[in-house]
Amino acid sequence: MTIWLETIDQKRLACREILSCEITAALDAACDSLRVWLHLPDAPGEVVRIQAEADGQLLFSGLTDRQTAQYDENGFRCFFYARSEAAVLVDNEAEPMTLYCPGTDSVLALTAAPFGFTSSLAPAALQVSFDVTKGMSLYAVLSEFYWAATGKDIWIDSEKCIHPAEPGALYSFAPDTVLQARAIINRAEPISTVDYKSDGDTAYSRHCKSLLAEEAGIRRTRKISLNGTPVWLRKNKAARWIQTAINGYMQAELTLKGLAPAQLCGRVELNSEPLGLSGTYAIQEINRRITQSGSVTELRLGKICNAKEMHYVDQ
């Protein structure tokens, strides 16, 4: 594995003496992160960008947030923390405005395209206006628009390509590469009912219920106000709370030898009778850890479940 450091004076340094490195990508985080300790013979100066490559695969490319250095007779021991290129969309605030019947291309042109991002997002459009409010980041504008238009979230890969969060490639791992498998049931995650009110309501008289949670004997409610939310979007927002919570219900964790080729939203078919793991799972988080003694890849998987939402209003 090679770590590339790009300095403020545009020097590019290749570092292979890696003391430890951790690269994390997760669907619930806009940016990937990298934490790395390096041994360097000379002071690197101010580092602005970091890339991590292994076997021709770009594992990480991003912007340095923090670096530290200490020196002894053996040279420099340096630590770097960086976030992926998506950080530029998170860190820059959008100008408040109203977009009338926006489409995917026009929102990309407003947010991500000026920074060199590409996209595999499907063409979509809203037949109503979309408000960019004060404080929204460029990332929030793009992700909230795309969710409103398609019901899907987004994620950004190490090559600066924006993807819809939908089931992706199917991965299989040889049994001798699986160091550990773990089954997880998070009964604290699912929400059985979202009670909500909107403009003109005096009580939380509108409801979105998860029949899946109720069938599992889970009773957990949330009360939200959707005042100001467009009428056509209210049911979808309530359902989003339900489905997001269900995504954390039935999970699995795999620890694999080496730096496994995997991407977020990829699918994994599991069939472990002793652990009770069966069915199709989606990759929700990838954690790659490299030390001087070797490397492992940890995958957090969520079982693809239908929350079975039902909407109703009190009479």
Side-chain angles (χ1 to χ4, degrees):
M1 180 173 173
T2 303
I3 298 290
W4 291 92
L5 306 179
E6 182 181 321
T7 64
I8 198 168
D9 53 0
Q10 298 184 333
K11 292 179 181 177
R12 189 168 161 84
L13 310 174
C15 308
R16 294 181 177 86
E17 194 169 346
I18 301 168
L19 303 177
S20 68
C21 179
E22 183 173 0
I23 301 170
T24 302
L27 281 177
D28 56 6
C31 305
D32 299 353
S33 66
L34 173 142
R35 293 172 174 82
V36 62
W37 281 98
L38 300 171
H39 181 266
L40 301 173
D42 303 301
E46 185 172 347
V47 174
V48 297
R49 179 174 271 102
I50 301 179
Q51 291 184 326
E53 294 179 347
D55 300 324
Q57 181 184 6
L58 181 64
L59 300 178
F60 179 86
S61 179
L63 309 172
T64 309
D65 277 346
R66 177 179 171 83
Q67 70 180 84
T68 64
Q70 40 190 110
Y71 176 77
D72 59 27
E73 64 275 8
N74 297 315
F76 290 87
R77 178 181 167 92
C78 300
F79 169 77
F80 299 93
Y81 171 74
R83 289 176 297 153
S84 60
E85 304 281 356
V88 73
L89 302 181
V90 173
D91 292 349
N92 283 277
E93 187 175 329
E95 180 179 346
M97 64 180 74
T98 297
L99 304 176
Y100 295 96
C101 300
T104 301
D105 289 344
S106 62
V107 177
L108 283 168
L110 178 70
T111 56
F115 296 95
F117 288 84
T118 59
S119 164
S120 69
L121 300 179
L126 294 176
Q127 301 307 312
V128 294
S129 62
F130 178 84
D131 289 328
V132 179
T133 57
K134 178 71 176 73
M136 290 183 75
S137 68
L138 295 175
Y139 181 89
V141 173
L142 177 57
S143 62
E144 288 300 312
F145 155 77
Y146 196 71
W147 177 81
T150 68
K152 297 175 182 177
D153 292 312
I154 63 172
W155 65 279
I156 304 177
D157 68 20
S158 58
E159 304 277 0
K160 296 178 66 174
C161 184
I162 304 165
H163 302 278
E166 60 188 14
L170 182 64
Y171 294 95
S172 60
F173 306 106
D176 62 349
T177 66
V178 180
L179 299 175
Q180 184 181 50
R182 178 183 299 171
I184 302 168
I185 300 175
N186 288 318
R187 289 182 61 83
E189 289 291 325
I191 296 171
S192 58
T193 307
V194 171
D195 304 320
Y196 63 99
K197 62 181 179 180
S198 55
D199 301 319
D201 292 339
T202 57
Y204 294 92
S205 57
R206 304 170 192 271
H207 313 278
C208 179
K209 177 185 292 188
S210 167
L211 297 181
L212 176 63
E214 288 204 346
E215 289 165 4
I218 295 171
R219 300 291 185 269
R220 182 173 296 111
T221 63
R222 295 291 182 268
K223 299 188 184 302
I224 60 175
S225 174
L226 296 180
N227 290 336
T229 302
V231 174
W232 59 272
L233 197 54
R234 291 170 187 166
K235 286 185 177 181
N236 291 347
K237 280 205 169 185
R240 189 184 196 183
W241 277 64
I242 295 283
Q243 187 60 57
T244 299
I246 285 293
N247 290 342
Y249 178 28
M250 308 292 288
Q251 294 186 321
E253 291 180 354
L254 298 182
T255 302
L256 308 170
K257 289 181 184 177
L259 301 174
Q263 284 196 323
L264 294 175
C265 290
R267 292 169 296 136
V268 180
E269 293 286 344
L270 297 182
N271 185 13
S272 174
E273 186 174 337
L275 289 174
L277 294 173
S278 64
T280 305
Y281 289 70
I283 299 175
Q284 297 176 340
E285 182 175 318
I286 305 169
N287 188 3
R288 295 181 171 97
R289 292 189 287 113
I290 301 97
T291 65
Q292 292 180 306
S293 59
S295 59
V296 297
T297 300
E298 297 172 337
L299 302 180
R300 175 166 56 85
L301 312 173
K303 190 168 187 177
I304 298 176
C305 298
N306 181 355
K308 302 179 183 178
E309 301 105 342
M310 182 181 74
H311 297 267
Y312 64 97
V313 181
D314 292 342
Q315 298 298 321

